[in-house]
Amino acid sequence: MTLNLEVWEDKDDLYSRAEELFSAQLKNGATTFGLATGGTMIPLYEKLRNSSLDFSHCKSVNLDEYVGIPQGHPESYYTFMQNHLFEAKPFKATYIPNGVAEDVHAEALRYEDLLKSLTVDMQLLGVGVNGHIGFNEPGTSFHSETDVVELTVSTRSANARFFDTIDEVPKQAITMGIASIMRAKCILLIAVGEEKRTAIKALLRGDVTEDIPVTRLCNHPSVIVLTDLKMN
């Protein structure tokens, strides 16, 4: 594998480095970016919003979307992306799964076909406490493609802070599969916070197992990991 680990003591420096990587991709001719949501990405998107970078000729594809939440819902990932990035930095085209499609399984197949028609130059990823990437929970096949998945109790609990009660947190999502993610030419993984240590240590050990989905990245030819965790 080609895994480049960068440890940054200062989180602002870490996110400045992530911005630099987006800039480098643009300068190298990248036109399609895979994007992610969640609190980890908010400081990066703030830097991108305030930068001089121009994405108006680019396309974006998002990792996932909740099932059963319309685009206009304040906690939909569509709303997240509009508020944190797209309103300030418009792309030529943006793609996010439709979580309220009449047939969400057909929507997942449609989204996978879309992904296969594109070449993602750089895929942005976070990682869950249990090592999930996208909404691909432990035990997900490494051959998985975009699908409707059940969210684990731990993942729903982690996201409950964004809702009034955990009962409002959706129980399903449409997510890129692990095989879908692996087709990107380059992957940028950002892992911030002590709770991510176990997952990142597993990735660095190189023991590839479906029990820890992030370890699949060990088999990718180009991965950059930005973290604030010192790995002894």
Side-chain angles (χ1 to χ4, degrees), residues 31-190:
T31 59
T32 303
F33 292 87
L35 300 179
T37 54
T40 297
M41 304 306 162
I42 291 175
L44 169 58
Y45 291 153
E46 181 179 2
K47 286 189 176 294
L48 293 179
R49 288 199 314 270
N50 294 325
S51 74
S52 61
L53 299 182
D54 180 10
F55 295 97
S56 62
H57 64 292
C58 297
K59 298 177 181 179
S60 71
V61 287
N62 260 73
L63 276 170
D64 41 36
E65 178 60 283
Y66 288 123
V67 167
I69 287 186
Q71 288 184 344
H73 190 284
E75 298 306 331
S76 75
Y77 290 151
Y78 176 90
T79 296
F80 180 100
M81 293 306 304
Q82 293 297 322
N83 292 344
H84 290 288
L85 186 61
F86 295 153
E87 286 181 356
K89 291 291 180 181
F91 284 62
K92 179 174 69 174
T94 59
Y95 302 101
I96 301 175
N98 178 8
V100 292
E102 185 174 345
D103 184 336
V104 289
H105 293 279
E107 170 64 8
L109 292 173
R110 182 199 68 81
Y111 200 73
E112 179 65 21
D113 286 342
L114 168 69
L115 294 174
K116 287 178 176 175
S117 74
L118 301 169
T119 299
V120 175
D121 294 292
M122 184 169 74
Q123 175 66 57
L124 179 63
L125 287 181
V127 60
V129 174
N130 62 4
H132 74 244
I133 51 177
F135 275 127
N136 297 288
E137 301 286 1
T140 301
S141 169
F142 285 157
H143 300 292
S144 64
E145 296 185 326
T146 305
D147 204 354
V148 179
V149 298
E150 302 292 327
L151 303 185
T152 64
V153 172
S154 63
T155 294
R156 294 181 67 236
S157 297
N159 290 342
R161 66 188 187 277
F162 301 115
F163 295 82
D164 290 336
T165 69
I166 192 170
D167 292 333
E168 295 181 13
V169 182
K171 296 181 179 180
Q172 293 182 314
I174 299 174
T175 184
M176 283 189 199
I178 295 176
S180 314
I181 292 168
M182 291 290 288
R183 289 198 299 267
K185 292 165 67 174
C186 172
I187 292 175
L188 170 59
L189 175 67
I190 300 178

Side-chain angles (χ1 to χ4, degrees), residues 16-34:
S16 292
R17 172 60 174 154
E19 179 194 345
E20 288 177 3
L21 292 169
F22 270 80
S23 178
Q25 285 285 326
L26 285 171
K27 289 177 181 177
N28 289 334
T31 59
T32 303
F33 292 87

